[in-house]
C-alpha cells in the first residue's frame, strides 16, 4: 500500500519539486564555498582529493555493502542502503568541521571533490556492489543512466556558485548560510510530507534492521575517516575533519535519486532510508561536537601551539639569533643611524 500512496500525483509532484529545489540550493551553496585559490593549491597537493576518493568511494560503499549482507536486507532495502553509501559528502560536514575547529578548506575541498568524482564513480560503485542482487527486479531496473544524469545536473549550480564566489564574495557568504539552513528545512519538510503520505504506520513499515544500519553506518564512516587520516599522519584537527567528511553523506542527493529515478511502486517506504540516515548522522555528529567542546578544546589549543613552534622554522631561527646576540653584547645606536656592538662580560 505504501507504493500506491507514493503514487498519489499531487503529493508526489510536490515532493519532486521540493527535492529538486533543495538539491539545487545545496549544490549552489557548495559552489559558493569553493575559492579558486584554495582549489588550485589542493590540486597541486591533492591530499584532499585522495582522501575524498578513499573515504567516499572505497570505504563507505564497502561499509554499506557489508551491512546489507550482515543484516540480510531484501533487494529494495539493499539498493537504498547502497545508494546512500555511494553518495558523495554532504554540506553537514562543513558546518560540523567549523564546530570542532577543523580544517574548513580541507572539508570544502573534500566535499567538492567527492561531488565531482561521483559523476563517474557513484554509478560504477552501484554497478559493482549490486551484483549480489543482480537477479532481482529492482537491480535489473537500476537506472544507472538516470543516476548519472541527476549527478550531472548538479554541476550547473556548483559552477554558478564558484562564479558567484569569484565575482561577489559577500553574496557567496550569504548563499552558503542559506544553503545550510535549507538543508535543515528541507529534511524537516520531507519528514512531515513523507509521514503524511505513508500514514501513522510509517515506522512499522520499515524493518528494524534498516534502523540498525542507519545508526551504524554513520558511526562506521566517522571511525574509518579518522583512521584514514591517522594513516596519512595528519594533525588532529584534520583528522576530525576527515572523520566528519567521510561519515556525512549527501542525503539530499540520495533522496533526489530515489525520488526522481525509481518508480514509487518499486522503492516504496525505502525512500525513507536517506532521511533516517540524515537523522542519525546529525545526532551522532552532534555528540561528536559535544564531546569535543567538553574534553577536546584544551588539547586542540596545545596542538595548535605545538604545531606553530615546530613548523615555524623562520620564527625559531630568529629567536635563536636574538639569544645569540645577547650572549655576546648589547646593541647601541650611534649617530648617522649606525649600529655598533659593545662587548659585555658574561658571568660564567
Amino acid at each position: 500500500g505504501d507504493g500506491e500512496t507514493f503514487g498519489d500525483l499531487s503529493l508526489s509532484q510536490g515532493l519532486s519539486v521540493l527535492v529538486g529545489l533543495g538539491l539545487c540550493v545545496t549544490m549552489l551553496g557548495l559552489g559558493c564555498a569553493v575559492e579558486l585559490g584554495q582549489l588550485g593549491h589542493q590540486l597541486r597537493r591533492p591530499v584532499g582529493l585522495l582522501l575524498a576518493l578513499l573515504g567516499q568511494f572505497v570505504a563507505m560503499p564497502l561499509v554499506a555493502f557489508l551491512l546489507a549482507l550482515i543484516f540480510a536486507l531484501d533487494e529494495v532495502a539493499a539498493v537504498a542502503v547502497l545508494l546512500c553509501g555511494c553518495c558523495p559528502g554532504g554540506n553537514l560536514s562543513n558546518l560540523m568541521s567549523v564546530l570542532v575547529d577543523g580544517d574548513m578548506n580541507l572539508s570544502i575541498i573534500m566535499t567538492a571533490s567527492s561531488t565531482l568524482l561521483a559523476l563517474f564513480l557513484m554509478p560504477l560503485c552501484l554497478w559493482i556492489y549490486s551484483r549480489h542482487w543482480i537477479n532481482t527486479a529492482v537491480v535489473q531496473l537500476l537506472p544507472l543512466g538516470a543516476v548519472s544524469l541527476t549527478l550531472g545536473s548538479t554541476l550547473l549550480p556548483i559552477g554558478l556558485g564558484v562564479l558567484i564566489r569569484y565575482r561577489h564574495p559577500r553574496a557567496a557568504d550569504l548563499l552558503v548560510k542559506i544553503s545550510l539552513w535549507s538543508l535543515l528545512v528541507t529534511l524537516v519538510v520531507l519528514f512531515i510530507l513523507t509521514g503524511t503520505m505513508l500514514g501513522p504506520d510509517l515506522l512499522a513499515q520499515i524493518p528494524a534492521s534498516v534502523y540498525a544500519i542507519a545508526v551504524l553506518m554513520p558511526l562506521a564512516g566517522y571511525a574509518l575517516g579518522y583512521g584514514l587520516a591517522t594513516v596519512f599522519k595528519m594533525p588532529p584537527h584534520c583528522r576530525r575533519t576527515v572523520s566528519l567528511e567521510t561519515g556525512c553523506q549527501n542525503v539530499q542527493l540520495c533522496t533526489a535519486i530515489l525520488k526522481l529515478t525509481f518508480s514509487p511502486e518499486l522503492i516504496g517506504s525505502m525512500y525513507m532510508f536517506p532521511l533516517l540516515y540524515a537523522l542519525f548522522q546529525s545526532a551522532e555528529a552532534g555528540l561528536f561536537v559535544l564531546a569535543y567542546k567538553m574534553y577536546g578544546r584544551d588539547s586542540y589549543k596545545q596542538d595548535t601551539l605545538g604545531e606553530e613552534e615546530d613548523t615555524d622554522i623562520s620564527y625559531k631561527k630568529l629567536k635563536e639569533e636574538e639569544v645569540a646576540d645577547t650572549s655576546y653584547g648589547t646593541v647601541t645606536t650611534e649617530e648617522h643611524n649606525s649600529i655598533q656592538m659593545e662587548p659585555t662580560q658574561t658571568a660564567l
Side-chain angles (χ1 to χ4, degrees), residues 30 42 47-57 88-90 93-94 103-117 225 228 234 238 241-246:
L30 174 60
Q42 290 293 332
V47 177
L49 179 65
L50 180 60
L51 289 170
L53 172 65
L54 295 176
Q56 297 296 345
F57 302 109
S93 60
N94 307 142
D103 190 328
M104 190 60 181
N105 288 327
L106 176 61
S107 179
I108 292 172
I109 289 299
M110 286 187 67
T111 303
S113 299
S114 64
T115 302
L116 297 177
L117 288 171
L228 186 63
M234 304 189 78
C238 290
T241 302
V242 177
S243 173
L244 290 167
E245 192 64 38
T246 303

Side-chain angles (χ1 to χ4, degrees), residues 132-204:
H132 182 76
W133 297 273
I134 188 61
N135 293 324
T136 61
V138 69
V139 173
Q140 290 177 349
L141 297 174
L142 188 61
L144 296 179
V147 170
S148 298
L149 183 61
T150 304
L151 287 166
S153 66
T154 64
L155 298 181
L156 180 60
I158 291 175
L160 180 59
V162 172
L163 180 62
I164 293 174
R165 165 61 63 182
Y166 179 73
R167 295 280 185 88
H168 309 285
R170 290 186 179 180
D173 291 336
L174 178 61
L175 287 172
V176 169
K177 295 178 181 178
I178 291 174
S179 71
L180 291 174
W181 278 107
S182 73
L183 173 64
L184 175 63
V185 172
T186 302
L187 291 176
V188 171
V189 173
L190 282 175
F191 269 114
I192 295 173
L193 287 181
T194 306
T196 302
M197 294 170 70
L198 293 179
D201 296 331
L202 169 63
L203 298 180

Side-chain angles (χ1 to χ4, degrees), residues 239-277:
R239 294 179 191 178
R240 294 191 295 272
T241 302
V242 177
S243 173
L244 290 167
E245 192 64 38
T246 303
C248 290
Q249 301 295 88
N250 191 336
V251 292
Q252 285 180 301
L253 177 61
C254 184
T255 304
I257 291 174
L258 284 174
K259 186 69 183 70
L260 301 177
T261 62
F262 287 93
S263 66
E265 295 79 8
L266 190 63
I267 202 64
S269 61
M270 283 303 102
Y271 168 79
M272 281 295 293
F273 180 77
L275 302 181
L276 291 175
Y277 189 95

Side-chain angles (χ1 to χ4, degrees), residues 311-321:
T311 59
D312 197 347
I313 299 173
S314 61
Y315 176 74
K316 288 177 64 180
K317 184 177 180 181
L318 178 61
K319 295 296 291 183
E320 290 171 358
E321 289 176 353

Side-chain angles (χ1 to χ4, degrees), residues 52-68 73 77-90 114 118 121-126 129 213-214 216-218 220-221 224 245-251 253-255 257-258 273-274 277-278 281:
L53 172 65
L54 295 176
Q56 297 296 345
F57 302 109
V58 176
M60 291 305 292
L62 181 59
V63 167
F65 175 72
L66 293 176
L67 287 174
L73 296 183
V79 166
V81 170
L82 284 175
L83 189 61
C84 190
C86 295
C87 275
S114 64
L121 295 181
M122 188 175 175
L124 177 62
C125 289
L126 284 172
Y129 287 108
I213 291 176
L216 294 175
M217 200 165 141
L224 287 172
E245 192 64 38
T246 303
C248 290
Q249 301 295 88
N250 191 336
V251 292
L253 177 61
C254 184
T255 304
I257 291 174
L258 284 174
F273 180 77
Y277 189 95
Q281 81 171 3

